[in-house]
């Protein structure tokens, strides 16, 4: 039975990740090293600071994890994909794969934060859910920015320049929603979560519309 | 000279805004006093900036539809003039804030960050950062067609993400700034009816002036790049 091209492309990314494990371990080590540095410079911060540090670290992890998704594809390989796949399938496969990667990385960094920086979180289960949602939102935006940055030459730096202003609304929303998880009195706001999800959907739609223009060289 | 009516309109509206802006009777509110005349100039800068950024995005979309480099030049020049008006907006805003917000007796305003953590300031800071990034992205590529295409894609993507910032962030933060709910410029409750008679013509005048400057820059650039545009 023939499989959908998106599934094929995601499989290809997973296979690449398994074959070239250095990049996966590289990101894991990046997370471990950053959280360890934080552990050395600040001990057991209170809720608001913990939350702020956590999301800024997520931002940097996301840039590192997602940036390579388009940069690792050499020019020749992109040309090959150009002949066999449609741009919409290609970008959706990248979005799916990076979402999965970032969900994993968010979860790992959450565990490390709990282990090294203490646990001021009052509502554990909702917070885990919000971390996964936030990781997903970050990965969506930065996947598309990685596609843009891959076309410009100086990649890692330009991704930060392009991405930081754009990510501000999502990050502020995330900070506001998650701050409720540190305070037993406040309740989690479903309106804001719906807003965040609709932003992600907007990013996905924009990616599908705009990626075909980036694709051809 | 063709279609010059809007340039004449622009000059007339700005003369009207300058003269009436100084003569109109403004309500004497406690802290604001006569400084509320700055409304005609300060908010006018933001109006012009938003109009120019919208023009820039429209030209980016037109570029992607036609792949004609002249739209790319237009998009770039609208963005630069928009940035200029944004900086002017900050300048007029900081003059205004120094008379109204910067009260040395109020501990809330002691540090710069207490004043700067302000939804409208953040919204425009994001807008300016996005368009500075747009210019840097353009300069990082040397191939003309690729540069035009990639920067048009970024322009559209960033613009679509800018609007959530402008609508969402004000609802997340407390504000000193007038017009907390919704659009600050088009709020009917904050502004008296005499002031509105000057306010809207002034906004249109500033926006037209911005577009005028941008079209001049575009014409200069089109002449410079004549050889590339093939006719």
């Amino acid at each position: 039975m023939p499989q959908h091209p998106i599934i094929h492309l995601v499989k290809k990314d997973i296979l690449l990740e398994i074959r070239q494990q250095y990049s996966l371990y590289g990101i894991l080590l990046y997370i471990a090293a950053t959280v360890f540095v934080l552990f050395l410079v600040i001990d057991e911060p209170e809720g608001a600071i913990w939350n702020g540090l956590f999301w800024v670290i997520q931002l940097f992890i996301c840039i590192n994890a997602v940036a390579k998704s388009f940069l690792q594809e050499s020019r020749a390989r992109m040309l090959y994909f150009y002949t066999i796949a449609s741009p919409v399938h290609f970008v959706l496969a990248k979005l799916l794969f990076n979402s999965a990667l970032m969900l994993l990385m968010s979860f790992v960094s959450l565990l490390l934060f709990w282990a090294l920086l203490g646990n001021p979180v009052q509502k554990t289960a909702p917070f885990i859910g919000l971390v996964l949602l936030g990781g997903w939102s970050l990965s969506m935006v930065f996947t598309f920015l990685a596609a843009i940055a891959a076309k410009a030459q100086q990649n890692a730096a330009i991704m930060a320049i392009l991405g930081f202003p754009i990510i501000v609304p999502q990050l502020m929303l995330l900070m506001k929603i998650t701050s409720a998880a540190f305070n037993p009195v406040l309740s989690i706001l479903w309106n804001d979560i719906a807003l965040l999800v609709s932003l992600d959907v907007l990013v996905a739609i924009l990616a599908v519309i705009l990626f075909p223009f980036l694709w051809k060289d | 000279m063709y279609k010059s009516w809007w340039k004449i309109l622009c000059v007339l509206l700005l003369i009207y805004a300058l003269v009436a802006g100084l003569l109109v009777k403004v309500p004497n509110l406690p802290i604001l006093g006569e400084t509320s005349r700055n409304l005609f100039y300060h908010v006018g800068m933001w109006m012009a900036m938003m109009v120019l950024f919208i023009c820039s995005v429209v030209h980016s979309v037109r570029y992607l539809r036609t792949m004609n480099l002249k739209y790319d030049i237009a998009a770039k020049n609208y963005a630069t003039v928009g940035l200029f008006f944004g900086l002017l907006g900050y300048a007029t805003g900081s003059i205004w804030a120094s008379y109204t917000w910067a009260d040395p007796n109020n501990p809330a305003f002691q540090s710069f960050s207490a004043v700067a953590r302000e939804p409208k300031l953040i919204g425009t800071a994001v807008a300016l950062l996005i368009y500075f990034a747009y210019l840097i992205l353009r300069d990082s590529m040397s191939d003309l067609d690729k540069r035009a295409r990639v920067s048009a894609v970024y322009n559209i993507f960033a613009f679509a993400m800018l609007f959530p910032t402008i609508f969402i962030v004000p609802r997340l933060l407390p504000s000193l700034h007038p017009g907390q709910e919704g659009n600050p410029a088009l709020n009917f409750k904050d502004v008296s009816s005499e002031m509105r008679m000057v306010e809207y013509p002034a906004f249109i005048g500033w926006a037209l002036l911005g577009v005028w400057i941008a079209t001049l820059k575009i014409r200069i650039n089109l002449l410079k790049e004549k050889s590339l545009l093939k006719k």
Side-chain angles (χ1 to χ4, degrees):
Chain A
M1 187 183 143
Q3 276 175 327
H4 199 272
I6 296 178
I7 299 172
H8 265 301
L9 287 164
V10 174
K11 266 189 180 168
K12 178 235 33 161
D13 274 334
I14 295 172
L15 202 65
L16 267 178
E17 210 60 61
I18 294 169
R19 293 244 176 95
Q20 306 177 328
Q21 289 181 347
Y22 74 92
S23 69
L24 189 66
Y25 291 134
I27 304 164
L28 286 173
L29 195 60
Y30 181 87
I31 298 174
T34 338
V35 180
F36 184 64
V37 169
L38 274 182
F39 160 71
L40 292 179
V41 296
I42 188 169
D43 55 21
E44 307 255 333
E46 56 172 297
I49 298 172
W50 196 97
N51 197 15
L53 282 175
F54 181 76
W55 287 110
V56 172
I57 297 297
Q58 292 303 302
L59 190 62
F60 283 95
I61 291 170
C62 189
I63 288 183
N64 278 282
V66 169
K68 67 174 179 48
S69 64
F70 283 91
L71 310 182
Q72 72 178 7
E73 313 283 11
S74 66
R75 207 184 145 75
R77 211 192 279 165
M78 283 302 268
L79 211 59
Y80 175 59
F81 289 132
Y82 186 60
T83 59
I84 58 166
S86 95
V88 173
H89 290 158
F90 188 77
V91 76
L92 284 177
K94 284 285 186 199
L95 284 173
L96 272 177
F97 174 76
N98 281 333
S99 303
L101 184 70
M102 193 56 205
L103 288 182
L104 179 70
M105 294 304 160
S106 297
F107 192 65
V108 170
S109 57
L110 180 62
L111 292 181
L112 273 170
F113 257 74
W114 274 340
L116 292 176
L117 294 174
N119 183 6
V121 180
Q122 303 277 339
K123 299 169 189 158
T124 309
F127 189 72
I128 293 176
L130 288 173
V131 166
L132 295 181
L133 179 66
W136 180 54
S137 307
L138 292 179
S139 77
M140 295 285 274
V141 172
F142 278 100
T143 303
F144 189 69
L145 287 172
I148 294 177
K151 295 284 169 188
Q153 267 74 41
Q154 314 97 334
N155 301 303
I158 217 148
M159 239 179 95
I161 299 173
L162 299 181
F164 283 0
I166 291 183
I167 205 76
V168 164
Q170 263 134 318
L171 218 52
M172 290 185 73
L173 258 181
L174 275 170
M175 295 282 288
K176 190 195 174 197
I177 302 170
T178 48
S179 65
F182 293 86
N183 190 334
V185 184
L186 297 175
S187 56
I188 308 255
L189 297 164
W190 285 102
N191 272 349
D192 289 348
I193 294 177
L195 203 58
L196 197 61
V197 173
S198 53
L199 269 178
D200 292 340
V201 173
L202 174 74
V203 173
I205 293 171
L206 282 172
V208 167
I209 296 171
L210 293 174
F211 186 72
F213 292 106
L214 285 178
W215 173 253
K216 45 195 164 186
D217 226 354
Chain B
M1 285 293 279
Y2 67 107
K3 288 183 191 164
S4 55
W5 62 270
W6 61 272
K7 294 173 185 167
I8 298 166
L9 180 69
C10 165
V11 172
L12 290 178
L13 283 174
L14 284 180
I15 291 172
Y16 169 68
L18 286 173
V19 174
L22 294 174
L23 294 179
V24 73
K25 187 174 169 294
V26 295
N28 197 0
L29 295 172
I31 302 167
L32 279 172
E34 296 290 317
T35 63
S36 48
R37 294 182 196 282
N38 196 2
L39 177 88
F40 311 127
Y41 314 113
H42 169 63
V43 188
M45 296 299 136
W46 298 128
M47 272 300 183
M49 180 189 85
M50 284 316 293
V51 167
L52 287 163
F53 285 164
I54 291 169
C55 287
S56 173
V57 169
V58 169
H59 281 91
S60 282
V61 173
R62 285 172 85 183
Y63 173 75
L64 287 183
R65 291 178 70 91
T66 58
M67 295 290 164
N68 187 340
L69 273 177
K70 91 179 177 209
Y71 293 125
D72 176 56
I73 290 171
K76 187 213 161 184
N77 284 300
Y78 277 118
T80 32
V81 180
L83 277 172
F84 178 67
F85 272 87
L87 294 176
L88 284 182
Y90 267 137
T92 49
S94 56
I95 294 170
W96 201 356
S98 68
Y99 287 100
T100 50
W101 293 350
D103 181 357
N105 299 320
N106 189 335
F109 304 139
Q110 264 177 359
S111 69
F112 170 70
S113 71
V115 179
R117 192 177 292 278
E118 181 51 58
K120 304 294 182 302
L121 289 184
I122 291 173
T124 29
V126 168
L128 293 185
L129 282 176
I130 284 175
Y131 281 91
F132 278 123
Y134 168 75
L135 294 182
I136 288 178
L137 178 70
R138 287 183 64 86
D139 284 344
S140 73
M141 283 167 286
S142 49
D143 183 285
L144 274 180
D145 288 305
K146 187 168 137 187
R147 174 165 85 189
R149 213 175 50 239
V150 173
S151 56
V153 167
Y154 179 70
N155 196 352
I156 297 167
F157 184 71
F159 190 79
M161 299 298 288
L162 178 65
F163 270 90
T165 318
I166 292 169
F167 290 121
I168 291 170
V169 172
R171 283 158 184 75
L172 299 180
L173 290 171
S175 174
L176 301 164
H177 201 286
Q180 171 71 341
E181 302 299 320
N183 193 324
L186 300 174
N187 196 326
F188 296 102
K189 277 171 270 172
D190 290 352
V191 181
S192 79
S193 56
E194 293 103 326
M195 283 178 77
R196 245 179 283 143
M197 291 298 290
V198 184
E199 186 189 5
Y200 295 136
F203 290 173
I204 297 168
W206 288 118
L208 285 178
L209 182 70
V211 174
W212 191 358
I213 297 172
T215 47
L216 288 180
K217 279 177 68 88
I218 291 164
R219 277 164 64 186
I220 295 169
N221 272 287
L222 284 176
L223 287 176
K224 272 187 194 159
E225 310 286 336
K226 212 171 184 178
S227 58
L228 290 168
L229 295 170
K230 302 182 197 87
K231 192 180 89 68

